[in-house]
Amino acid sequence: MIYSNQEIESFIKDSLGVCEAVTITPLKATGNMTARLEDGGEVTLLNVLAGEKEYALKIKSTAFENNVGDAMNYYASKDFEESFLKGKYVFYIRSNYNRESKVYSALSQVKEYLPKVYGAQNDSYRSLILLEKLDISREPKDIELADFLRKLHSLYLDEKEVEKLGANVHTKEDYTRATALSLKLLDSIERVYPEFPKEILTLAGNVINNYAKVFDKMISYPRCLCHGDCTINNMTTTPSLKLYDLELSTYNNAEFDLVSYLVHYPTLLNKDVIVKFLSRYYDDDNFMANKKEVLSLNLLIYFVTRFHAMMMIAKKLDMPYMETSIKNYIYLFRFFNL
């Protein structure tokens, strides 16, 4: 176990300022990939009952890095393990175990869109965070989300400022060191998903083999603090829109969050959904003329820094939403005429 029951109970009581006994039980979260990659799986996401009120408790540790590497290593290859150790920070996992509480505290300007934090603590390899327990609804609210993301993306624009928050900031070396890892993931996809479009894998391969140039292109566009894992599974829309799971927050193009949301849309995408959401975010009905290049770039970056790994993890973990997400990725790829 990452924490003993005594440590957890003491943290909860200190955070809430209570002395009476608290009840702690597992909290099942739908669509939560990262919780199942922590030590003990769903045991790291807990429901807390104190008095008559319920809370959510998240436990994270540095073990996540190795666990996520094992999960995407479909063929249990030693060569893959070595590539992962070298290139794993192309993902958003560097020091993510204690990131969430820092980012929540920096977002007071949009706190109505976030769960309340009651307490947090961490040491060199693990962390606890006690949060408001939210009612969960996955019904999309595209307009409200577009408005929130526009606010979020306007808050922290400077790289050094974002770094001080504890969010992830990629370097060019993070990309280039991941070349072998990313190519191995593409090879696995081609073998395990024989029907997946070859044109996507070919273009993704070109991106990976030119990671340095792609990184330079990415940073030529404005960047900001992004949620980093902006999917319907990390938000609720009842009774109002709230986003959570900020442990992958990253300094990136705003379009990374937009693409992430559309790829993991809970139903199959169509033109109307895409146009409505992006037109609202940009306040521009002509976004295809003005933003197509950066949106297309981030659709490819999303694939080679996250989605290819998720496709392989989905072969080991129960991630039923990925079937729709894969179809949505293909739809977006063709929508932007890549």
Side-chain angles (χ1 to χ4, degrees):
M1 291 181 64
I2 298 173
Y3 284 91
S4 68
N5 291 336
Q6 185 177 359
E7 287 176 308
I8 291 171
E9 186 169 341
S10 177
F11 164 74
I12 294 168
K13 289 181 177 180
D14 289 345
S15 297
L16 298 177
V18 299
C19 298
E20 65 268 20
V22 296
T23 303
I24 304 168
T25 54
L27 176 61
K28 186 172 179 60
T30 59
N32 191 310
M33 180 185 79
T34 57
R36 282 170 285 164
L37 291 172
E38 299 287 355
D39 179 52
E42 289 179 358
V43 175
T44 61
L45 190 58
L46 301 172
N47 184 82
V48 176
L49 177 62
E52 297 181 354
K53 189 170 181 178
E54 291 184 304
Y55 306 84
L57 178 70
K58 290 179 65 175
I59 306 171
K60 294 191 68 67
S61 79
T62 55
F64 175 78
E65 290 189 5
N66 293 330
N67 293 344
V68 76
D70 290 342
M72 67 180 72
N73 187 3
Y74 184 79
Y75 294 103
S77 161
K78 191 69 177 177
D79 190 39
F80 187 97
E81 290 178 15
E82 293 170 358
S83 296
F84 179 78
L85 289 174
K86 181 178 179 181
K88 62 184 177 180
Y89 291 137
V90 76
F91 307 122
Y92 305 81
I93 59 177
R94 175 173 37 222
S95 300
N96 77 83
Y97 78 98
N98 67 349
R99 178 176 298 144
E100 193 163 15
S101 62
K102 298 175 186 176
V103 177
Y104 278 132
S105 65
L107 297 179
S108 59
Q109 292 164 274
V110 289
K111 63 182 180 181
E112 68 273 20
Y113 293 99
L114 306 171
K116 184 176 179 180
V117 178
Y118 292 92
Q121 74 173 43
N122 66 270
D123 55 30
S124 61
Y125 71 97
R126 59 185 185 165
S127 68
L128 289 165
I129 182 169
L130 186 65
L131 300 156
E132 171 189 6
K133 185 181 178 184
L134 301 171
D135 293 326
I136 300 298
S137 169
R138 305 300 189 200
E139 185 68 28
K141 288 190 176 179
D142 301 336
I143 296 302
E144 290 89 339
L145 179 65
D147 291 345
F148 163 72
L149 289 176
R150 193 164 58 243
K151 292 177 184 177
L152 173 67
H153 294 157
S154 70
L155 295 180
Y156 294 99
L157 307 179
D158 180 74
E159 180 174 341
K160 295 298 183 185
E161 194 174 14
V162 171
E163 198 167 32
K164 287 180 182 177
L165 298 181
N168 179 62
V169 179
H170 275 125
T171 67
K172 186 183 294 189
E173 289 70 28
D174 290 335
Y175 275 56
T176 57
R177 287 173 60 86
T179 301
L181 170 63
S182 292
L183 290 175
K184 284 179 171 58
L185 284 165
L186 287 195
D187 178 67
S188 295
I189 288 171
E190 191 165 18
R191 295 160 69 184
V192 176
Y193 292 88
E195 302 302 317
F196 192 76
K198 297 296 186 291
E199 64 267 28
I200 297 179
L201 297 179
T202 298
L203 190 49
N206 291 336
V207 170
I208 292 164
N209 284 312
N210 292 279
Y211 258 154
K213 291 181 180 179
V214 170
F215 181 84
D216 287 341
K217 184 68 173 177
M218 183 266 289
I219 65 173
S220 74
Y221 290 104
R223 289 181 291 165
C224 59
L225 176 68
C226 289
H227 183 288
D229 195 12
C230 184
T231 76
I232 197 71
N233 290 317
N234 290 331
M235 64 185 73
T236 183
T237 55
T238 297
S240 61
L241 177 69
K242 286 185 184 286
L243 277 73
Y244 49 89
D245 283 356
L246 294 168
E247 60 260 30
L248 300 185
S249 299
T250 291
Y251 187 56
N252 217 332
N253 303 140
E255 284 72 19
F256 189 89
D257 275 349
L258 306 182
V259 163
S260 175
Y261 178 65
L262 290 172
V263 167
H264 295 289
Y265 204 74
T267 60
L268 293 176
L269 279 178
N270 57 59
K271 181 179 178 181
D272 289 343
V273 168
I274 298 169
V275 170
K276 177 183 175 184
F277 176 64
L278 294 179
S279 296
R280 179 71 176 204
Y281 177 85
Y282 289 118
D283 191 22
D284 181 3
D285 291 335
N286 199 31
F287 70 87
M288 279 294 284
N290 300 320
K291 298 295 182 179
K292 179 182 174 181
E293 186 176 73
V294 67
L295 283 164
S296 299
L297 175 65
N298 276 272
L299 184 63
L300 292 171
I301 288 174
Y302 189 77
F303 191 88
V304 300
T305 67
R306 184 162 175 80
F307 199 65
H308 60 351
M310 292 184 72
M311 288 178 68
M312 297 314 303
I313 292 171
K315 289 298 181 179
K316 290 193 174 183
L317 294 184
D318 182 24
M319 297 164 60
Y321 61 88
M322 280 296 291
E323 182 178 350
T324 298
S325 296
I326 290 169
K327 291 176 181 178
N328 284 345
Y329 190 93
I330 296 169
Y331 186 92
L332 282 168
F333 185 89
R334 292 171 177 163
F335 181 86
F336 289 117
N337 295 314
L338 295 177

